[in-house]
Amino acid sequence: MFGTSWECPQCHDPGANMLHMFWSCPESAHFWQQIFEVITELTQCTDLNKAEGVLLGLFHRSKRAVVTNRFIDQALIIARRAIAMGWKPPTLPTLSHCGAALLKWSKAEEAALRWEESRGLRRVPIAGG
């Protein structure tokens, strides 16, 4: 993953591994904080700032709308992908790197959900929870 060395290319920790890359590296932590702020602002989801939420997508979902839960899931996937793909360069991607991908996905997802709902294929309304 890091070539011949397990040194983190971001913070130079000599014992870097996948958990370090996605969660415990100070550079990753800064990136995740930006992601959390955006997700919280858009969805009022406040329980993501844990490794379980970021790495596994495990967070409280019961009263959120379908679109909101899907948005959160996709935002986390895009953020994890940005970290994985941008790990070797000297700096991690910024929040703006994720924005275009997330906007493109959200428009397509909304259209797909509305199409499903218009044909009676959805058991749960898009705006309901």
Side-chain angles (χ1 to χ4, degrees):
M1 178 174 75
F2 299 118
T4 58
S5 169
W6 283 98
E7 180 179 287
C8 174
Q10 303 299 321
C11 72
H12 307 290
D13 183 318
N17 57 24
M18 294 294 269
L19 181 60
H20 175 85
M21 178 175 79
F22 283 106
W23 186 249
S24 59
C25 177
E27 296 299 319
S28 295
H30 177 70
F31 179 73
W32 282 117
Q33 189 55 45
Q34 293 175 333
I35 296 292
F36 298 147
E37 287 172 10
V38 169
I39 291 174
T40 299
E41 183 178 329
L42 295 174
T43 68
Q44 285 70 52
C45 176
T46 60
D47 58 347
L48 289 175
N49 199 359
K50 300 175 186 166
E52 299 85 18
V54 169
L55 302 176
L56 303 174
L58 301 175
F59 54 90
H60 184 68
R61 298 169 181 261
S62 64
K63 296 189 181 197
R64 288 196 189 94
V66 172
V67 171
T68 301
N69 283 327
R70 286 186 174 185
F71 174 83
I72 293 168
D73 286 337
Q74 192 63 28
L76 294 173
I77 289 168
I78 289 170
R80 286 190 301 261
R81 184 174 186 265
I83 288 175
M85 294 187 73
W87 196 253
K88 288 291 256 180
T91 58
L92 286 175
T94 63
L95 187 60
S96 63
H97 288 95
C98 297
L102 193 53
L103 182 60
K104 182 178 177 181
W105 171 85
S106 65
K107 288 180 181 180
E109 181 70 5
E110 182 179 9
L113 287 170
R114 296 225 181 271
W115 181 86
E116 288 174 9
E117 189 173 46
S118 72
R119 285 159 180 74
L121 302 172
R122 296 208 51 75
R123 291 186 207 148
V124 178
I126 293 171

